[in-house]
Amino acid sequence: MLTVIITLLAGALLLAAWIASNVLQQLNKESAFSGPAASFENPINLDKVPTSSLFDEATKALSIVIPAYNEEFRLGSTLDETFSYLQRRRDQRGPYFTYEVIVVDDGSQDATVGCAAKFTRKHGVDALRTLRLPQNRGKGYAVRAGVLVARGQNILLMDADGATRVSDLERLESAAQDVMQQGKESLEPSGGSPPHQAFVLGSRAYLEESSKAKRTALRTFLMHGFHFLVALVVGRSIQDTQCGFKLFTRDAARRIFPNQRLQRWCFDVELVHLAQSLNASGCTIGLAGARVLCIPMAEVQVTWTEIPGSKLRVTSVISMALELVLVKVGYGTGAWPLHGHLDLQR
């Protein structure tokens, strides 16, 4: 019996050491922000297209950022639906509704880039730009790379599989206007200048009960475990952090994304944590115990359809749990300091 207990304790210590080692390694690896080694390429003449900066003035009403890794079979239908919607909306609203779609190729090994190039030839390089990362870095890295070169006043993140109906963007825009109006009203008594900031998350939480019957007991257990860890990091104010349909105003994106560290699974949770932690002025961070003016968030129900070909596996949950530990430890200990957007411009 004593031998069994000693063996279990030794195993637990080895596991704790392994976790601590991985946490420290990842904290150091992702501790500092670095810009993407990426470029736009015109598929017509293969010329390089100058990249813009999130810190420049907006020149489009809307940017849609689509991260893509080996998506040759799903990206085409998503871009078809997206451009049909954007063109209809421009017909309704007139020439002031300007837009761009940024496909971020995350080192794909299939014909993803070629698929995007067909739409660039059809709609023009100003309407669809493909940002090519030299190697696969993860969805979080691809999203950040795309947002940092976006030209839109509003920036929508959307998955390449088209699981969410793009027209639901209007629900998110309406919620963004509501939270900005609430922020304006809260500042009026003090005469403060209202920040044009909003972060709106599409939500599939309403589907959770109906999908239980389709999941195995193991997947249900892992899902509840993941939700528990998410709640430890960001609380329970947001029910669905992982839906790949999110809207940011440009001002909010400027404060959030340059601070983002995670490159793969749980960057969504990190974005929520950053919105909760960053001072709305973007210049200073509230001290412990001080009132922090968080970037306002809202969660909106969206139409979502499960698309075959998901890359998420049960084994990925382990990596996701580790990343949630990184967020808690990295920001909680100050290993990952938060910066205001003015600091990042210097």
Side-chain angles (χ1 to χ4, degrees):
M1 184 66 180
L2 181 61
T3 303
V4 174
I5 293 174
I6 292 173
T7 302
L8 290 174
L9 286 174
L13 287 173
L14 285 173
L15 178 61
W18 179 84
I19 292 173
S21 174
N22 274 271
V23 168
L24 289 173
Q25 181 182 0
Q26 292 299 317
L27 281 174
N28 291 329
K29 178 182 176 182
E30 305 188 58
S31 62
F33 168 75
S34 60
S39 61
F40 288 120
E41 185 178 88
N42 187 334
I44 299 172
N45 54 23
L46 301 183
D47 287 345
K48 298 296 182 184
V49 178
T51 56
S52 50
S53 169
L54 181 65
F55 293 104
D56 296 337
E57 290 299 318
T59 57
K60 301 286 184 183
L62 174 69
S63 293
I64 298 181
V65 176
I66 304 177
Y69 175 62
N70 292 342
E71 291 287 1
E72 64 172 314
F73 297 113
R74 304 194 294 183
L75 181 61
S77 59
T78 298
L79 291 177
D80 261 330
E81 180 191 354
T82 299
F83 276 105
S84 295
Y85 166 75
L86 291 172
Q87 290 168 342
R88 286 197 306 271
R89 190 165 176 185
R90 185 167 187 174
D91 290 342
Q92 295 168 355
R93 296 185 56 180
Y96 293 105
F97 179 68
T98 54
Y99 56 81
E100 66 172 350
V101 176
I102 301 173
V103 174
V104 186
D105 171 52
D106 188 21
S108 297
Q109 298 174 339
D110 65 358
T112 295
V113 172
C115 176
K118 293 177 184 177
F119 286 84
T120 300
R121 294 187 187 100
K122 180 178 180 180
H123 298 281
V125 73
D126 187 60
L128 191 150
R129 301 186 293 168
T130 300
L131 185 67
R132 301 190 65 177
L133 302 181
Q135 64 187 55
N136 177 252
R137 298 293 297 270
K139 184 179 178 182
Y141 191 96
V143 162
R144 183 178 66 183
V147 171
L148 289 175
V149 296
R151 296 176 287 175
Q153 185 59 47
N154 285 336
I155 301 169
L156 175 71
L157 307 185
M158 189 172 79
D159 284 344
D161 61 8
T164 306
R165 192 168 57 194
V166 66
S167 58
D168 282 354
L169 163 65
E170 294 170 44
R171 299 184 187 180
L172 273 62
E173 290 173 328
S174 177
Q177 289 297 325
D178 288 344
V179 296
M180 285 191 289
Q181 180 61 33
Q182 292 168 11
K184 178 181 178 181
E185 291 171 355
S186 67
L187 287 172
E188 277 179 352
S190 62
S193 176
H196 299 285
Q197 296 178 36
F199 172 14
V200 185
L201 300 90
S203 177
R204 306 158 299 176
Y206 68 100
L207 295 170
E208 187 169 308
E209 286 299 319
S210 62
S211 65
K212 278 185 178 179
K214 302 177 184 178
R215 291 194 300 265
T216 65
L218 175 60
R219 290 185 69 89
T220 300
F221 172 76
L222 292 173
M223 180 197 71
H224 286 300
F226 177 75
H227 286 175
F228 173 76
L229 291 175
V230 169
L232 290 179
V233 176
V234 297
R236 298 184 181 276
S237 59
I238 300 296
Q239 297 182 68
D240 182 8
T241 59
Q242 302 306 110
C243 180
F245 200 75
K246 296 178 173 66
L247 181 71
F248 301 82
T249 61
R250 192 174 188 83
D251 281 355
R254 283 173 172 174
R255 288 150 177 78
I256 293 173
F257 282 93
N259 281 292
Q260 180 198 333
R261 269 87 170 184
L262 294 184
Q263 299 181 12
R264 294 196 177 274
W265 298 109
C266 287
F267 75 95
D268 307 83
V269 180
E270 184 186 13
L271 297 180
V272 173
H273 177 80
L274 288 169
Q276 293 173 335
S277 305
L278 284 165
N279 186 288
S281 69
C283 301
T284 57
I285 307 301
L287 300 175
R291 181 173 180 268
V292 177
L293 299 175
C294 301
I295 292 172
M297 287 184 289
E299 189 173 12
V300 176
Q301 177 179 314
V302 294
T303 306
W304 187 82
T305 305
E306 186 168 358
I307 305 296
S310 172
K311 300 181 178 65
L312 180 62
R313 301 290 181 265
V314 173
T315 53
S316 303
V317 175
I318 298 173
S319 298
M320 296 169 79
L322 177 60
E323 290 191 350
L324 290 174
V325 172
L326 287 174
V327 172
K328 192 71 174 176
V329 173
Y331 292 110
T333 63
W336 289 354
L338 296 175
H339 304 285
H341 75 290
L342 297 182
D343 299 325
L344 291 158
Q345 283 182 283
R346 295 190 184 105

